Amino acid sequence: MTGARPGNIPPLDPTAATPFYRQIYDRFRGAIASGLLKPGDRIPSARALTKELGLARGTIEAAYSLLAAEGYIQARGQAGTIVTPDLKPQMPVSKPIPPADSGIAPTSFRPDSILPFQMGLPALDTFPRKIWARLGARCARAMQPADMVHPAVSGLPALRAEIAAYLQVSRGIDCSPSQVFVTSGYRHTIALIVHALLKPDDRVWLENPGYPPTRELFRQMQIESIPVPVDRDGLVVSDGITLAPRARAAVVTPAHQSPLCVSLSLPRRQALLDWAAGNDAWIIEDDYDGEYRYVSRPLPALKSLDRDGRVLYAGTFSKVLFPSLRLAYLVVPEAEVARFEEMTEALAAGSPELTQAIVTAFITEGHFARHIQRMRRLYAERRAMTAAGLESVLAGHMQIDSQPGGMHLILRLLGRQSDRELVAHMRREGLYAEALTDWMIEGDAAPALLLNFTNIDSRTTAETLARRISKLL
């Protein structure tokens, strides 16, 4: 049974003509009518509310007596006072929100649900929760007063050291812990880079198609986005040079282009690095799921080829652990460390130290590396099972792209079906998908669905879901 705390009571107005006991009565009745206080919820004792509001106890008791007389609350002796069980207060009538003209709800690129095919989610059913709980309990027990002050804004030093060591081995990135900055997610990472290195009206290359929140974030920060086409070899660097040769930065996803999953070829990587070095520009490498490549070993990061200090490497724990951690990291060139330290001091409050300590222990004890290895095998299996299940039902309506890695499938729609309309139908039926059309900055794309396969546990499950999609076509 939940309870209302005294601090939740809105402040009283000493200048009002309404007496205090009546103001208290009105606030509790309003909270019950709005659903903020529900039947059976415990409310503060008269003594606690007297202390909180600084009023005479008789004033509080007068308000409670009136509420009890009208049936809103009941006294239960030592159990306290509660909102009357089975009370059915009159709720205000809400006006329905008129549907959008298109009939298609806008896509959320950070949903808080767990739906079939939901993008951005790792395999939550196989995460080692028992190990995580044990480490969490141990870290909580080990907390000392020094661990309870404001966290280091650049990140827990032990975690920064573990990230640097991991990147050296797994991604070929030679960096020191001082170059690693812990952030609260991709958006925080981009905002930190913009504040440190860019200024309003600067121009930045973005992959087209590309992750939609990136361009919205740049728009909010008054940075002009230049859409640069993507083909089978990744970002077409020559087109970027033609469109905006003096751009200040380029945002790229070299390992698995988001969303097409192609890899940036070596000649393109070198051309991009040459452009950045020759124009004093920055490359923001978003390596959101570079660990998950299934046709060969994961490719080295673009940052591993950087000899001129032009690449900023952005990684995240959302895809390899789970999104609610809200932990990501940024590796900056050594020459820019002081600038980023200055900016994090000005802008960042730091991520929760206890969470960082648990992640540090998870990495230090080898669980992180073993988890990624297990997920790489599991995802290869689930990708094959999901593709086979979908193709067995939808072969006449869709064609699945062949991809070297990543965490989602691309289903190309055959015929004249709109991907945005199909996505809207799927959402209404409890299925998740994203439309490739929504990832285009400009120009047209062949209609396609983006479907995450990491939480599809069998071919039978995929076939069952495919039949639900088939009914919507």
Side-chain angles (χ1 to χ4, degrees):
M1 180 171 60
T2 60
R5 297 187 301 275
N8 290 340
I9 306 301
L12 305 180
D13 184 1
T15 65
T18 306
F20 283 139
Y21 86 90
R22 189 74 191 193
Q23 291 185 45
I24 296 169
Y25 162 83
D26 289 339
R27 281 157 174 74
F28 273 101
R29 190 179 67 168
I32 293 170
S34 67
L36 183 62
L37 283 175
K38 299 177 176 58
D41 280 357
R42 186 171 180 173
I43 67 173
S45 68
R47 177 182 297 178
L49 201 55
T50 296
K51 183 178 180 180
E52 175 70 21
L53 299 180
L55 299 174
R57 184 162 179 173
T59 301
I60 308 300
E61 291 177 344
Y64 278 18
S65 295
L66 185 56
L67 288 165
E70 296 188 1
Y72 286 104
I73 63 174
Q74 291 181 357
R76 293 291 181 89
Q78 292 184 349
T81 302
I82 64 172
V83 178
T84 302
D86 303 322
L87 181 67
K88 297 180 180 179
Q90 295 295 319
M91 301 297 291
V93 178
S94 60
K95 297 181 179 180
I97 300 175
D101 292 340
S102 65
I104 301 175
T107 296
S108 169
F109 293 95
R110 188 177 155 182
D112 56 3
S113 55
I114 303 177
L115 296 174
F117 303 123
Q118 184 163 316
M119 294 282 285
L121 289 182
L124 301 178
D125 60 323
T126 61
F127 184 78
R129 291 189 292 274
K130 289 184 178 180
I131 293 175
W132 188 265
R134 174 171 56 80
L135 295 176
R138 190 181 73 196
C139 290
R141 287 194 301 268
M143 284 180 62
Q144 299 296 318
D147 303 316
M148 301 166 71
V149 299
H150 290 290
V153 292
S154 298
L156 191 67
L159 179 58
R160 298 171 75 186
E162 290 295 341
I163 292 172
Y166 167 73
L167 293 177
Q168 173 73 55
V169 174
S170 68
R171 312 299 290 133
I173 297 174
D174 184 11
C175 65
S176 65
S178 66
Q179 293 174 253
V180 179
F181 291 81
V182 177
T183 71
S184 62
Y186 173 74
R187 290 169 172 81
H188 181 193
T189 296
I190 294 296
L192 180 60
I193 294 171
V194 171
H195 283 298
L197 300 178
L198 304 179
K199 62 183 185 299
D201 298 325
D202 276 348
R203 310 179 86 191
V204 174
W205 295 359
L206 295 187
E207 296 169 327
N208 188 35
Y211 187 50
T214 304
R215 61 179 182 263
E216 175 60 22
L217 185 57
F218 280 130
R219 187 184 70 81
Q220 294 289 345
M221 303 183 78
Q222 300 180 329
I223 303 294
E224 183 183 356
S225 296
I226 306 298
V228 180
V230 174
D231 63 17
R232 67 178 64 184
D233 290 319
L235 182 82
V236 184
V237 179
S238 59
D239 284 3
I241 294 173
T242 299
L243 292 166
R246 302 297 297 173
R248 292 290 296 124
V251 182
V252 292
T253 49
H256 305 130
Q257 196 277 330
S258 179
L260 300 182
C261 287
V262 297
S263 298
L264 188 64
S265 67
L266 182 58
R268 296 270 180 92
R269 292 178 183 228
Q270 194 58 59
L272 185 61
L273 290 167
D274 290 344
W275 166 78
N279 290 276
D280 198 27
W282 303 103
I283 300 170
I284 303 169
E285 178 180 9
D286 177 15
D287 196 18
Y288 63 101
D289 69 352
E291 290 87 355
Y292 299 131
R293 185 176 175 87
Y294 313 114
V295 297
S296 62
R297 292 183 59 82
L299 297 174
L302 176 64
K303 176 67 176 173
S304 68
L305 302 176
D306 182 23
R307 300 293 178 264
D308 299 294
R310 308 312 305 175
V311 178
L312 299 106
Y313 177 89
T316 178
F317 290 107
S318 291
K319 304 297 188 297
V320 292
L321 296 180
F322 51 91
S324 67
L325 274 179
R326 304 314 310 144
L327 276 185
Y329 51 90
L330 172 68
V331 179
V332 307
E334 190 168 7
E336 304 301 324
V337 167
R339 174 60 178 158
F340 275 84
E341 288 177 341
E342 175 186 355
M343 196 54 58
T344 54
E345 288 288 346
L347 298 176
S351 298
E353 187 158 313
L354 179 58
T355 303
Q356 295 186 64
I358 298 171
V359 174
T360 302
F362 195 76
I363 299 174
T364 303
E365 296 186 7
H367 305 299
F368 185 71
R370 286 192 292 272
H371 180 64
I372 289 177
Q373 291 170 0
R374 285 195 300 268
M375 291 305 98
R376 191 177 294 139
R377 293 191 297 269
L378 178 69
Y379 290 169
E381 295 170 359
R382 289 190 170 182
R383 185 178 74 150
M385 291 187 300
T386 303
L390 293 173
E391 287 176 334
S392 69
V393 177
L394 301 171
H397 302 283
M398 303 180 185
Q399 180 177 327
I400 300 178
D401 280 6
S402 175
Q403 303 157 208
M407 298 168 63
H408 68 270
L409 297 172
I410 302 174
L411 277 65
R412 302 283 181 178
L413 304 186
L414 306 178
R416 302 177 63 84
Q417 175 80 50
S418 164
D419 54 358
R420 296 191 71 237
E421 289 181 359
L422 182 54
V423 164
H425 292 319
M426 291 176 63
R427 297 286 182 86
R428 285 192 286 268
E429 294 299 322
L431 299 173
Y432 192 94
E434 289 178 16
L436 181 58
T437 301
D438 287 333
W439 291 59
M440 294 295 296
I441 303 176
E442 66 178 27
D444 297 323
L449 300 183
L450 308 179
L451 304 179
N452 191 326
F453 58 79
T454 58
N455 284 285
I456 306 301
D457 58 3
S458 67
R459 174 169 175 164
T460 300
T461 299
E463 290 173 347
T464 300
L465 296 171
R467 283 191 286 271
R468 291 175 61 185
I469 298 173
S470 179
K471 293 179 181 178
L472 301 175
L473 291 171

